[in-house]
Amino acid sequence: MEVLLVGGACLTSAFGAALACGGLAAPSRIAATRRVLGWSLRAMRLLRRLSRTRLADVLLGVDLWRVHALRLVALLAAHQVSFDERTAAVTLAVALAALSCVAGLLMASPVAAVAAGTIVVGVAAARELSRRRRVRREVVASMPGVYRTLSVALASGQTLAQAVAYVGSHERGPVSEAFARMSLRLRCGSSTEDAVALLARELDAPGAELLATALVISHRTGSPLRDLLMRSAALAERQGEFERMLGVKTAQVRLSVRIVSLLPAVMIAILALVSPDFQSGLLTPAGVGCVCLAAVLDGAALLIIRRLMAGVTRWT
């Protein structure tokens, strides 16, 4: 989302500047370029002022917005552009508002502006949810190897810090990054309890809390964890097999549920963006009432399906 919003705003600005400067002579083009640079500096100052307001706190309070703001900071840092988290959050908000206004002006309807912003936010939320699910699957698949690696490292006489550093350097993916951060915290003087608690919070996997408790107890008492970790590895493998089996058996049903539940929202968003007749209908009380009723019915259906799927998962 951050690339789409900022890139779209920059392209719109660049296109407008090119149209403004295309038919000018060389001295006039230089003056126009200076004006564009001046506007850019004023825009940066405005963004930094907005970053010191309550708006930045509200935006950063939304998990989805905070994640994309951090990604924008990392993206700009790779291009030697200094941005803090609050300024990045405000920049995303301004870019989203700008793109929504452009869509509204192009379609000559405020409904199109709202629909464009809703589509962008919905796509960003769907991508973030898909990324988190993929990360969780990677973590769950890596946990048996983590248990065995910790068991071997601790049984060979290594300390907890050394065992954590070993896992961080020899594993791959999100698990490796989480253990590498824990090793860095321990080297920087963080307490074992705090470092282990943060590790359990970052590892979104079954048994992470048990692993954290076992590591703390082992650090305090020096008790061996080889048998516990090996048994945990076997249990994690069995749970992974059950989850894969359940995913295979319910794949068709889950796909049908996603299509049926998302299709009405997608159709309404597209029609609100491109259809003038639908836009004018949405501006009437009857149109608003129909859309709200459809949203309530769709939400109720999703809740019913969720309860049924939870029952199937529990009995499986």
Side-chain angles (χ1 to χ4, degrees):
M1 184 181 76
E2 64 279 358
V3 177
L4 176 63
L5 291 179
V6 178
C10 292
L11 286 176
T12 304
S13 302
F15 182 69
L19 290 178
C21 302
L24 300 178
S28 300
R29 289 181 183 176
I30 294 175
T33 303
R34 290 177 178 174
R35 284 196 296 270
V36 171
L37 291 176
W39 294 337
S40 301
L41 292 176
R42 294 190 188 96
M44 286 297 301
R45 286 195 292 267
L46 177 61
L47 290 175
R48 296 193 184 279
R49 289 177 184 174
L50 290 175
S51 67
R52 294 189 290 269
T53 62
R54 180 64 179 171
L55 175 63
D57 297 328
V58 174
L59 293 174
L60 292 176
V62 181
D63 183 63
L64 175 66
W65 211 274
R66 184 175 64 255
V67 169
H68 285 86
L70 292 175
R71 290 181 183 174
L72 179 59
V73 171
L75 178 65
L76 294 176
H79 295 81
Q80 288 77 41
V81 178
S82 177
F83 248 46
D84 58 273
E85 182 180 351
R86 298 174 64 87
T87 306
V90 173
T91 301
L92 290 177
V94 172
L96 177 62
L99 289 179
S100 299
C101 291
V102 169
L105 291 175
L106 289 176
M107 302 304 299
S109 172
V111 177
V114 176
T118 304
I119 290 174
V120 172
V121 174
V123 171
R127 288 187 58 190
E128 180 62 20
L129 180 61
S130 177
R131 185 194 67 83
R132 292 184 177 182
R133 288 177 176 174
R134 184 179 67 253
V135 169
R136 188 182 184 277
R137 287 194 298 267
E138 294 178 1
V139 171
V140 171
S142 302
M143 288 308 293
V146 170
Y147 287 128
R148 292 192 174 91
T149 304
L150 283 174
S151 174
V152 172
L154 293 174
S156 62
Q158 291 185 353
T159 64
L160 177 60
Q162 292 172 340
V164 168
Y166 183 82
V167 173
S169 59
H170 286 78
E171 292 293 331
R172 295 181 179 179
V175 172
S176 173
E177 297 174 359
F179 275 89
R181 286 192 293 269
M182 178 180 174
S183 177
L184 180 61
R185 295 187 189 107
L186 291 175
R187 289 199 302 269
C188 292
S190 178
S191 65
T192 303
E193 290 78 6
D194 293 340
V196 170
L198 289 174
L199 175 68
R201 192 181 307 168
E202 293 175 356
L203 290 179
D204 183 17
E209 296 290 342
L210 175 62
L211 174 62
T213 304
L215 291 178
V216 172
I217 293 175
S218 175
H219 176 72
R220 289 179 178 178
T221 63
S223 58
L225 295 177
R226 179 179 176 84
D227 294 338
L228 176 61
L229 291 175
M230 294 301 291
R231 182 172 178 79
S232 299
L235 293 176
E237 286 181 343
R238 291 185 60 186
Q239 182 172 2
E241 292 175 0
F242 289 149
E243 288 186 356
R244 287 192 294 271
M245 185 184 303
L246 180 63
V248 171
K249 291 183 178 296
T250 60
Q252 183 176 359
V253 177
R254 287 186 287 109
L255 179 61
S256 300
V257 169
R258 290 174 183 173
I259 293 176
V260 172
S261 60
L262 291 178
L263 190 58
V266 172
M267 290 182 61
I268 289 176
I270 294 176
L271 289 175
L273 184 63
V274 301
S275 174
D277 294 335
F278 192 81
Q279 293 167 4
S280 59
L282 281 180
L283 295 177
T284 61
V288 174
C290 290
V291 172
C292 293
L293 179 61
V296 170
L297 293 176
D298 198 22
L302 287 177
L303 290 177
I304 295 173
I305 293 172
R306 188 179 183 87
R307 291 192 62 181
L308 292 176
M309 292 297 295
V312 171
T313 304
R314 183 171 59 253
W315 285 106
T316 305

